[in-house]
């Protein structure tokens, strides 16, 4: 069975490194991007199964990146990450097709469980929010 592909998009290097380590050790083929342009290049080249996407990224914000990802491939699952509790942005992200969101700082185990659930037979209609 081919490894599932996971793209981590966050402008904070520490978060990318942490998530890369966690999900690489889970057996995923992981990619990272610090901005929207690079994220979309990876989406086109690698067609990831899931994208962990920060809501606030300088340049192209998370909602804009989400729209482009879904335009490239509607099947790619997207989990939003935000340090802000902006309910309107979270609602818009859900309307655009994000499967769930996490509020930073998130529990890494909850994130791991959520990603595993989404990539291994999780119900894609499950639109619940997790986080602190």
């Amino acid at each position: 069975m081919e490894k599932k592909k996971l793209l981590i998009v966050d402008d904070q290097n520490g978060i990318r490194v942490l998530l890369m380590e966690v999900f690489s050790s889970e057996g995923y083929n992981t990619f990272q991007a610090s901005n929207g342009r690079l994220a979309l290049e990876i989406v086109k080249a690698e067609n990831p199964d899931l994208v962990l996407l920060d809501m606030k990224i300088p340049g192209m914000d998370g909602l804009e990146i989400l729209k482009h990802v879904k335009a490239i491939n509607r099947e790619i699952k997207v989990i939003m990450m935000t340090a802000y509790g902006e309910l309107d942005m979270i609602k818009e992200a859900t309307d655009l097709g994000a499967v769930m969101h996490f509020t930073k700082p998130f529990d890494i185990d909850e994130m791991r469980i959520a990603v595993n659930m989404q990539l291994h037979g999780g119900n894609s209609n499950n639109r619940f929010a997790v986080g602190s």
Side-chain angles (χ1 to χ4, degrees):
M1 191 174 96
E2 197 176 319
K3 279 184 172 185
K4 295 277 187 183
K5 295 179 185 177
L6 181 71
L7 170 59
I8 298 151
V9 186
D10 199 307
D11 59 318
Q12 291 177 280
N13 186 53
I15 289 177
R16 287 197 318 273
V17 168
L18 170 69
L19 292 172
M20 291 279 293
E21 285 177 7
V22 168
F23 292 113
S24 293
S25 71
E26 289 280 311
Y28 294 113
N29 202 348
T30 54
F31 303 89
Q32 63 172 318
S34 58
N35 61 58
R37 184 187 51 74
L38 184 57
L40 295 175
E41 285 175 15
I42 293 169
V43 168
K44 287 176 187 163
E46 298 294 339
N47 197 31
D49 299 286
L50 189 140
V51 178
L52 290 173
L53 178 56
D54 189 22
M55 194 83 82
K56 291 282 188 191
I57 295 180
M60 198 184 307
D61 74 9
L63 291 176
E64 200 176 331
I65 297 167
L66 174 60
K67 287 175 192 169
H68 287 294
V69 167
K70 289 297 187 175
I72 294 165
N73 181 351
R74 297 228 34 98
E75 299 302 308
I76 295 173
K77 293 181 178 184
V78 179
I79 295 177
M80 302 301 293
M81 301 179 291
T82 178
Y84 311 88
E86 291 141 338
L87 293 174
D88 55 334
M89 283 183 82
I90 291 164
K91 183 188 179 322
E92 188 176 346
T94 302
D95 292 345
L96 290 169
V99 291
M100 60 197 316
H101 80 276
F102 279 85
T103 305
K104 293 177 182 176
F106 46 79
D107 181 303
I108 196 67
D109 286 325
E110 286 179 5
M111 174 73 82
R112 195 172 46 75
I113 290 165
V115 167
N116 286 328
M117 186 188 78
Q118 291 296 331
L119 290 177
H120 298 288
N123 180 355
S124 62
N125 294 327
N126 241 348
R127 294 183 186 276
F128 59 88
V130 188
S132 51

